Amino acid sequence: MSDVKLERVKGTVDYLPPEQMLREEIFQKLTQIANKYGFLPMDTPILEKWETLAGKSGGGSEIKKETYNFKDQGGRQIGMRFDLTVPSARVLAMNPKMPMPFKRYQYGKIYRYQEIKPGRNREFYQFDMDTYGTESIVADAECIAMGIEAFKLFGFKEFNIRVNNRKLLKGLMGYAGVDSKKIKTALVAIDKLDKIGIPGVQKELENRGINKNSINKISKIIKIQGTDDVLNQVEELVPGNEGIKELRELIKYLNAMKIRSGYSIDLSLVRGLEYYTGTIFEISAKGLNVSFAGGGRYDKMIENFIGTKIPAVGISYGIEPIYQVLVKKRGLKKTRTQVYIVPINEKVMKKSLGLASELRALGVNTEIDLKNRNLSKNIEYANKKGIKKLIIVGERDVKEKKVTIKNIVTGKERRIEFKMTIINKAIKN
Amino acid sequence: MSDVKLERVKGTVDYLPPEQMLREEIFQKLTQIANKYGFLPMDTPILEKWETLAGKSGGGSEIKKETYNFKDQGGRQIGMRFDLTVPSARVLAMNPKMPMPFKRYQYGKIYRYQEIKPGRNREFYQFDMDTYGTESIVADAECIAMGIEAFKLFGFKEFNIRVNNRKLLKGLMGYAGVDSKKIKTALVAIDKLDKIGIPGVQKELENRGINKNSINKISKIIKIQGTDDVLNQVEELVPGNEGIKELRELIKYLNAMKIRSGYSIDLSLVRGLEYYTGTIFEISAKGLNVSFAGGGRYDKMIENFIGTKIPAVGISYGIEPIYQVLVKKRGLKKTRTQVYIVPINEKVMKKSLGLASELRALGVNTEIDLKNRNLSKNIEYANKKGIKKLIIVGERDVKEKKVTIKNIVTGKERRIEFKMTIINKAIKN
């Protein structure tokens, strides 16, 4: 017997079958959407050289502190990936002849040594879809379209897509009179609007040394929301701004893709990551303060990292919030098993196993009693497991070429002919 | 620009889209089979507490040397899982009320710091299907049946399934006069038969202190192969042996599941892992010395580990050998994209994006030019990417409600009406 108390590492999670079935479904649906838009799968190691992750163009100092790293048995300094972007940049560097654009999706576990909160762990999944090698805003529109399609496919009706552009934000900060050296810090303050409201942002800005006049202008700007009309309003403030041109183009392409509602331009949307250069967007649940997915254009990040100019735009899905909301919304299914066969004794085992094989060959997910239990114990088990249909095979049944099919939810049962077509139909009804 | 040479950690692999598409297919097919037999997915962390992995009932000293481990930022000793069995045992320990049998599949990356050879890495995938909580040999038969089904689904015609039983092996060692303390070491020698042949095994046995007389008997035993007849032969040597009874039962159940050929009883099959207690089996490619999958019954392992008796039987698929053989057998597909849309200029972009949306809504995997290239550059790109069908949208086309569809493999093209039914049909033909 073990002398160790068995428990998980802090910040890691087990997903038992009901939970993992739903998670598999999320991955499958996202894969299906990615494929429809011409994105193909890629897989990279969880282990990366520490130099790759810690390089100045990798994660930056914040991420470095949070990155699991260790010396392996051979003395190499190894890190565990903290996102899927840096590994992809490495792959692009190692495959310079890749035809462009390169549209890839990738999902897998990533690692951050961070404070644990509900929905925030140290080992968790991310699902990314990125287009590398083109500056075309059509690629940006595709990312947003995929996001919308995903949440429709998940059955979410209530979600918001907020869109903004870093070039426009920069221009607006200039208009507000924010010193170019202080734009970054001002944006950090604006990014907190959701959490602290306008008065909070105003205070943050003040603390960060932004002057009264600028704060007043910023306060007005971040209240502006809408679609085309917003752009007309801000055009007066920053005429000829490249970000406005890009947002107009983005809206034009979204409309061409039959997406005419469900998104708004939100001048307060910043998105934390420094590396964005143009379009930025975030998809969240209406009413809930939960971000499901987000992304944007980062045209310089790969160049900074590998020395070759490769523009990029992508969307990253937060698997945990999507999963949490789906669990609340529809609960968890307990099984994929469609029928459970109960051989009443060893004498009918042969017939029962043959039946199981034939059902499986027809594509019916079939379980058979593996503990030689009596009927009531078997019903109890099937109930716990969420299996609705039972086929009971008795000695008399075998002689008379019949079986009994029982719906354990309604309690109804009937004896039917031992013919595959009849049995199959009875399972599905 | 980066001053770091970007490269992978030794023993890890990137899978670019052509490779990863095939790997996804392998996971999907195995999932489908597992579901058909009533197995459901589970996911556990890659990170485990070092005490869990290193506990005396965990991996044993060999595995311990090979396990990546490190102290995290909080001073905890963490290990990276070296298989999916120990984490599952931990889950069983932490969920003592799980209804039994518990049939789960799990796949994911595992880690071993080991010598690297072709097909052997330090980060690699495993796909396990195990039934916990029953001693019924039907569960053993299901594992073998799932193995057979997998290789049929992969299109492998030439594979061998070798079956044996640890209780029988133990009995036969007794018959051969091997001292009970030396059975383990004798089995290690026999396990090498594939690699070193009978003379090699004889020498090994001698080196391990097995006497001449025993070696002679063992040499005869390990030559025996077949099905029912084998059991009759060995029954004379070890009458009443439990392993024979179990193998007979296994064959009976396999037959009932319509599996009457493709497997043989091989008395030389040992399988390295000490924890097996009954049925053992291995599936390999005929002619090639490659093991695709293997498994068996390990009724005591979980008890040793967590203190509760939970019998278990499972099959573990080696994703790397299956993948390698499939690559050789059918090569790699380059894309899942069915059609590539070429808008001839910006004026037809709206129409082209609308077409892309409608095709995607019909479930057609659709890519659209994202680099505003001319036709010949687009054909070159589609060719490199393995996309066969192009739809060209010109200004005249839009006016006349037509598009041109081009098969870039045959070079044939034709102008068709801009109607979704007609376009969809032309893509699929």
Side-chain angles (χ1 to χ4, degrees):
Chain A
M1 189 173 158
S2 178
D3 44 356
V4 186
K5 195 185 157 212
L6 293 167
E7 51 187 16
R8 278 188 302 274
V9 170
K10 206 179 160 187
T12 68
V13 185
D14 291 322
Y15 296 102
L16 292 178
E19 296 151 355
Q20 186 60 10
M21 280 190 281
L22 177 57
R23 296 173 70 82
E24 270 192 354
E25 189 192 323
I26 295 170
F27 296 133
Q28 276 163 15
K29 285 190 165 150
L30 291 177
T31 294
Q32 189 190 325
I33 289 166
N35 289 160
K36 274 213 277 182
Y37 282 78
F39 291 73
L40 299 174
M42 179 165 98
D43 187 43
T44 68
I46 282 168
L47 303 181
E48 292 280 353
K49 291 181 77 178
W50 175 243
E51 302 95 277
T52 305
L53 299 180
K56 66 174 157 49
S57 315
S61 63
E62 264 310 298
I63 292 256
K64 244 189 274 182
K65 264 193 297 182
E66 292 187 349
T67 303
Y68 284 97
N69 68 95
F70 57 92
K71 266 201 168 60
D72 76 4
Q73 283 82 332
R76 296 171 199 86
Q77 195 67 29
I78 310 278
M80 296 179 77
R81 64 181 181 201
F82 52 79
D83 71 5
L84 302 172
T85 312
V86 172
S88 293
R90 179 189 52 70
V91 170
L92 289 168
M94 291 174 73
N95 296 273
K97 292 192 172 165
M98 193 107 74
M100 291 290 164
F102 175 56
K103 298 171 92 175
R104 77 98 181 82
Y105 67 93
Q106 187 178 356
Y107 64 99
K109 291 181 173 177
I110 62 170
Y111 295 82
R112 297 205 189 156
Y113 188 82
Q114 60 189 1
E115 205 195 315
I116 297 160
K117 292 191 220 168
R120 191 158 88 174
N121 287 308
R122 292 181 177 167
E123 178 183 276
F124 54 101
Y125 278 87
Q126 215 159 52
F127 197 124
D128 284 9
M129 307 174 188
D130 294 86
T131 299
Y132 298 101
T134 177
E135 288 177 339
S136 167
I137 305 289
V138 174
D140 307 38
E142 283 187 345
C143 287
I144 294 174
M146 288 192 294
I148 295 176
E149 209 164 312
F151 294 100
K152 280 192 184 156
L153 205 57
F154 292 137
F156 291 9
K157 271 170 203 136
E158 301 284 298
F159 56 91
N160 273 327
I161 304 169
R162 296 182 300 144
V163 183
N164 202 359
N165 185 295
R166 277 287 172 92
K167 289 170 192 158
L168 174 56
L169 268 175
K170 219 170 154 184
L172 288 170
M173 291 303 107
Y175 156 78
V178 176
D179 188 281
S180 67
K181 281 178 193 156
K182 289 200 168 162
I183 289 182
K184 232 182 237 178
T185 189
L187 293 180
V188 172
I190 295 172
D191 201 22
K192 298 185 180 170
L193 179 63
D194 271 359
K195 283 174 201 144
I196 60 180
I198 287 187
V201 170
Q202 287 168 332
K203 204 165 178 193
E204 265 296 317
L205 286 167
E206 207 183 322
N207 294 343
R208 287 165 186 266
I210 309 296
N211 69 50
K212 267 266 144 78
N213 191 29
S214 294
I215 293 176
N216 283 338
K217 285 185 171 170
I218 290 173
S219 305
K220 278 174 199 159
I221 291 167
I222 60 178
K223 279 183 201 157
I224 305 175
Q225 275 203 26
T227 49
D228 299 35
D229 49 318
V230 171
L231 296 178
N232 297 335
Q233 279 182 62
V234 292
E235 182 125 59
E236 288 172 24
L237 313 179
V238 284
N241 179 281
E242 184 71 13
I244 295 180
K245 205 184 125 239
E246 289 183 5
L247 281 169
R248 286 224 165 93
E249 220 179 324
L250 180 71
I251 292 172
K252 186 177 78 183
Y253 294 141
L254 286 172
N255 288 346
M257 294 165 88
K258 329 264 177 194
I259 297 163
R260 292 196 182 82
S261 62
Y263 62 91
S264 63
I265 290 171
D266 181 342
L267 298 176
S268 75
L269 180 71
V270 174
R271 286 188 61 75
L273 289 167
E274 270 180 34
Y275 60 63
Y276 290 117
T277 56
T279 307
I280 44 176
F281 63 92
E282 198 158 294
I283 305 179
S284 54
K286 253 183 203 163
L288 303 170
N289 195 2
V290 179
S291 168
F292 286 135
R297 183 162 276 285
Y298 50 105
D299 282 349
K300 286 178 188 152
M301 193 259 210
I302 313 253
E303 185 177 5
N304 290 339
F305 197 68
I306 68 174
T308 312
K309 185 171 178 179
I310 300 179
V313 60
I315 178 169
S316 181
Y317 295 83
I319 297 304
E320 312 313 325
I322 295 172
Y323 168 75
Q324 294 298 344
V325 171
L326 281 176
V327 170
K328 273 186 206 149
K329 203 177 141 67
R330 29 161 149 143
L332 291 170
K333 283 184 196 160
K334 282 183 170 175
T335 193
R336 290 176 182 153
T337 300
Q338 294 164 279
V339 67
Y340 181 80
I341 299 176
V342 182
I344 232 58
N345 62 33
E346 185 64 26
K347 284 180 197 156
V348 298
M349 202 56 184
K350 192 181 161 184
K351 206 76 192 167
S352 303
L353 280 171
L355 174 60
S357 291
E358 287 188 65
L359 286 171
R360 287 166 183 154
L362 292 170
V364 177
N365 295 345
T366 306
E367 223 180 300
I368 187 164
D369 172 33
L370 293 174
K371 289 184 79 78
N372 305 313
R373 287 179 285 213
N374 65 28
L375 184 57
S376 69
K377 288 267 178 206
N378 270 313
I379 290 175
E380 195 185 307
Y381 170 80
N383 236 326
K384 272 188 199 157
K385 289 281 189 165
I387 306 169
K388 286 183 188 136
K389 297 275 173 88
L390 247 63
I391 288 180
I392 305 152
V393 184
E395 281 187 65
R396 212 190 69 186
D397 292 322
V398 172
K399 269 178 216 146
E400 296 173 5
K401 295 189 178 155
K402 303 245 172 184
V403 289
T404 299
I405 184 152
K406 185 181 178 78
N407 182 324
I408 59 171
V409 182
T410 62
K412 276 186 190 158
E413 61 173 66
R414 60 199 174 98
R415 239 175 138 225
I416 56 175
E417 259 188 275
F418 196 120
K419 270 192 181 160
M420 292 317 296
T421 45
I422 293 170
I423 295 173
N424 198 9
K425 209 177 146 192
I427 291 167
K428 275 156 192 173
N429 281 341
Chain B
M1 190 175 154
S2 175
D3 46 354
V4 186
K5 197 187 155 213
L6 292 167
E7 51 188 14
R8 278 188 303 272
V9 169
K10 206 178 160 188
T12 68
V13 185
D14 291 322
Y15 295 102
L16 293 177
E19 295 150 358
Q20 187 61 10
M21 281 191 280
L22 178 57
R23 296 172 71 83
E24 270 192 355
E25 188 192 324
I26 295 170
F27 296 133
Q28 274 164 15
K29 285 191 165 151
L30 292 176
T31 295
Q32 189 190 323
I33 290 167
N35 288 160
K36 275 213 278 182
Y37 283 79
F39 290 74
L40 299 174
M42 178 166 98
D43 186 44
T44 68
I46 282 168
L47 302 180
E48 292 280 354
K49 290 181 76 178
W50 175 243
E51 304 92 278
T52 305
L53 300 180
K56 67 173 159 47
S57 315
S61 61
E62 266 309 299
I63 293 256
K64 246 188 275 182
K65 264 192 300 181
E66 293 187 349
T67 304
Y68 285 96
N69 68 94
F70 58 93
K71 264 202 168 61
D72 76 5
Q73 281 84 330
R76 296 171 199 85
Q77 196 68 30
I78 310 277
M80 297 179 74
R81 66 183 179 199
F82 53 79
D83 70 6
L84 302 171
T85 312
V86 172
S88 293
R90 179 189 52 70
V91 170
L92 289 168
M94 290 175 72
N95 295 275
K97 290 191 174 166
M98 191 107 74
M100 291 290 167
F102 175 56
K103 299 169 92 173
R104 78 96 182 83
Y105 67 93
Q106 189 180 356
Y107 66 98
K109 290 181 174 180
I110 61 169
Y111 295 82
R112 297 206 188 156
Y113 188 81
Q114 60 187 0
E115 206 195 316
I116 296 159
K117 294 191 219 170
R120 191 158 86 174
N121 285 309
R122 290 177 180 172
E123 178 184 276
F124 54 101
Y125 279 88
Q126 214 160 53
F127 199 124
D128 285 8
M129 306 172 187
D130 295 84
T131 299
Y132 299 100
T134 177
E135 288 177 337
S136 167
I137 305 290
V138 174
D140 306 40
E142 283 186 343
C143 287
I144 294 174
M146 288 192 293
I148 295 176
E149 207 163 314
F151 294 99
K152 280 190 185 158
L153 204 57
F154 292 137
F156 292 8
K157 272 172 198 131
E158 301 283 300
F159 58 90
N160 274 325
I161 303 169
R162 295 181 300 145
V163 183
N164 202 0
N165 186 294
R166 277 287 173 92
K167 289 171 192 159
L168 174 55
L169 267 175
K170 219 171 155 186
L172 287 170
M173 291 304 106
Y175 155 78
V178 175
D179 188 281
S180 67
K181 283 178 193 153
K182 288 200 167 163
I183 290 182
K184 231 181 238 179
T185 189
L187 292 180
V188 172
I190 293 171
D191 201 21
K192 298 184 180 172
L193 180 63
D194 272 358
K195 283 175 200 144
I196 59 179
I198 289 188
V201 171
Q202 288 168 333
K203 206 164 177 191
E204 270 287 323
L205 288 167
E206 209 182 318
N207 294 342
R208 286 163 187 270
I210 310 297
N211 70 49
K212 265 269 146 71
N213 191 29
S214 293
I215 295 177
N216 283 339
K217 283 183 170 171
I218 291 172
S219 306
K220 278 174 198 156
I221 291 166
I222 60 179
K223 281 182 201 159
I224 304 175
Q225 279 204 21
T227 49
D228 297 36
D229 48 319
V230 171
L231 296 179
N232 297 335
Q233 279 181 62
V234 293
E235 181 124 58
E236 287 172 26
L237 312 179
V238 284
N241 178 282
E242 185 70 13
I244 294 179
K245 204 183 129 245
E246 291 182 4
L247 280 169
R248 286 222 166 92
E249 219 178 324
L250 180 71
I251 292 171
K252 186 178 79 183
Y253 294 141
L254 286 172
N255 289 345
M257 294 165 90
K258 329 266 177 191
I259 296 162
R260 292 198 181 79
S261 62
Y263 63 92
S264 62
I265 290 170
D266 180 342
L267 299 177
S268 75
L269 179 71
V270 174
R271 288 189 59 77
L273 290 167
E274 268 179 35
Y275 59 61
Y276 289 117
T277 55
T279 306
I280 44 176
F281 62 91
E282 198 159 295
I283 306 181
S284 54
K286 252 183 203 164
L288 303 169
N289 196 3
V290 179
S291 168
F292 286 133
R297 183 163 276 285
Y298 51 105
D299 283 350
K300 288 178 188 152
M301 194 259 210
I302 313 254
E303 185 176 5
N304 290 338
F305 196 68
I306 67 174
T308 312
K309 185 172 179 177
I310 300 181
V313 61
I315 177 169
S316 181
Y317 295 82
I319 296 304
E320 312 312 326
I322 294 172
Y323 168 75
Q324 294 299 345
V325 171
L326 280 177
V327 171
K328 274 187 206 148
K329 203 176 142 66
R330 32 160 149 142
L332 291 170
K333 282 183 196 159
K334 282 182 171 175
T335 194
R336 288 175 183 155
T337 300
Q338 294 163 281
V339 68
Y340 182 80
I341 298 176
V342 182
I344 232 58
N345 61 35
E346 184 64 24
K347 285 181 198 155
V348 297
M349 202 57 184
K350 191 181 162 187
K351 205 76 191 165
S352 303
L353 280 171
L355 176 59
S357 290
E358 288 189 63
L359 286 172
R360 286 166 184 152
L362 291 171
V364 178
N365 295 345
T366 305
E367 220 179 304
I368 187 164
D369 173 31
L370 292 175
K371 287 184 80 77
N372 305 315
R373 286 180 286 212
N374 64 29
L375 184 58
S376 69
K377 289 267 180 206
N378 270 313
I379 291 176
E380 198 185 304
Y381 170 80
N383 233 326
K384 271 188 198 156
K385 288 280 189 166
I387 306 168
K388 287 184 187 134
K389 297 274 175 86
L390 247 64
I391 287 180
I392 304 152
V393 184
E395 283 187 63
R396 213 191 68 187
D397 291 323
V398 172
K399 270 178 216 148
E400 296 173 4
K401 296 189 176 157
K402 303 247 171 181
V403 289
T404 298
I405 184 153
K406 186 182 176 76
N407 182 323
I408 60 171
V409 182
T410 63
K412 276 185 191 158
E413 61 174 65
R414 60 201 175 98
R415 243 174 137 228
I416 55 174
E417 260 188 275
F418 197 120
K419 271 194 181 158
M420 291 318 295
T421 46
I422 292 171
I423 295 173
N424 198 8
K425 208 176 149 193
I427 291 166
K428 275 158 191 172
N429 281 338

